[in-house]
Amino acid sequence: MANATMTLIASQVLSSKTTNVTFSSIPQTYTDLKLLLSAQNDDGGAYTDLLFVQLNSDTTSNYSETRIYGFSTTAGSSRTSSSGFLAPRIDSAGGTANVFSCTEFYIPNYTSTSTKQIWSFGVAEQNDTSNAYITADAELYRGTSAITSISLAVNGAYNFSINSSFYLYGIKNS
Amino acid sequence: MTDETPTKVIVCCADHDHSTDPACEIKAESVVVPLTADEIAANEAAAAQAQADADARAKAQAALDALKASAKAKLVAGQPLTSEEADTLVI
């Protein structure tokens, strides 16, 4: 029986704020990828902002997602199509100080040369009673090349805050 | 946003000697580099679009809230609803 393994490919903990974090030259030796991040951005005018994710430096309209979300006591769903994934919200500097969101992406069969279905989930907690945000996204990437790079930014071009951390794992059977 | 030069971080995930392997584009495990003028312009455009999208969502939500309030007031008063107002009540 094969044993599933999860290996840390690369990680980055920010020592200064930055607009964009890119994992490049991703090895093609795994079956799936898992990306975890604990992040905040420097938008002082909001509690949360959307992540903006692009694959393979592809800036065309190859991305769409359907999401369900809960915000405080409100639940809803929406669909977007853009030049990047508008992925789960992360905490912003305008919310509670020193609070970082938790976000996960699962990218199965990332070496495929067909379209790719991706899943993401994120929680932006605020340590208060009215501004927590939880999101689950079903994402479709229409690009047909194997994924070799993943680029993360904050929608609205804000900076990731210092100490935001990013971990990319590879998953395969040993 | 601030006046500081915006930067990006690139992390090389390849399992090679970053300093000597010709295939390593950044010659390090990770580098912090300033954004190019084109990237800064693209970011500014993205920020403007994000704000425009947020404004549009807020405007649409305000219009929907107004329709719902109007529908509720007319129902309470026993007045006929417009088609748009009725749509806000249909699940």
Side-chain angles (χ1 to χ4, degrees), chain A:
Chain A
M1 180 178 172
N3 294 314
T5 62
M6 188 166 87
T7 304
L8 181 65
I9 297 173
S11 65
Q12 184 70 31
V13 180
L14 298 182
S15 56
S16 59
K17 62 184 183 180
T18 188
T19 61
N20 181 298
V21 174
T22 298
F23 289 99
S24 66
S25 303
I26 296 172
Q28 301 297 293
T29 52
Y30 300 93
T31 56
D32 304 346
L33 295 175
K34 182 173 185 172
L35 175 62
L36 300 177
L37 56 143
S38 169
Q40 188 200 61
N41 74 83
D42 67 353
D43 180 2
Y47 283 91
T48 63
D49 285 286
L50 289 163
L51 278 172
F52 186 72
V53 182
Q54 291 180 317
L55 306 172
N56 295 346
S57 302
D58 183 355
T59 59
T60 65
S61 300
N62 267 337
Y63 308 81
S64 61
E65 63 273 302
T66 298
R67 69 180 64 83
I68 56 174
Y69 60 87
F71 172 63
S72 185
T73 58
T74 302
S77 64
S78 61
R79 185 179 186 282
T80 48
S81 184
S82 185
S83 57
F85 292 130
L86 289 166
R89 287 178 171 273
I90 63 169
D91 286 308
S92 303
T96 305
N98 299 320
V99 172
F100 284 53
S101 60
C102 306
T103 312
E104 175 179 354
F105 290 83
Y106 196 86
I107 309 174
N109 204 18
Y110 71 104
T111 59
S112 164
T113 51
S114 302
T115 59
K116 295 159 192 71
Q117 296 76 45
I118 298 168
W119 170 90
S120 64
F121 180 77
V123 173
E125 176 59 76
Q126 294 286 338
N127 287 347
D128 66 13
T129 58
S130 58
N131 290 292
Y133 221 113
I134 182 170
T135 316
D137 282 23
E139 291 145 341
L140 173 64
Y141 176 57
R142 295 182 180 79
T144 54
S145 299
I147 294 173
T148 58
S149 74
I150 302 171
S151 180
L152 300 115
V154 182
N155 191 45
Y158 297 101
N159 291 292
F160 287 112
S161 302
I162 293 172
N163 290 327
S164 292
S165 53
F166 306 81
Y167 301 89
L168 181 65
Y169 293 88
I171 293 174
K172 66 178 177 181
N173 285 329
S174 62

Side-chain angles (χ1 to χ4, degrees), chain A residues 18-22 24-25 156-157, chain B residues 1 7-9 11 13-14 30 43 47:
Chain A
T18 188
T19 61
N20 181 298
V21 174
T22 298
S24 66
S25 303
Chain B
M1 307 297 285
T7 61
K8 62 181 177 182
V9 173
V11 182
C13 299
S30 67
N43 274 354

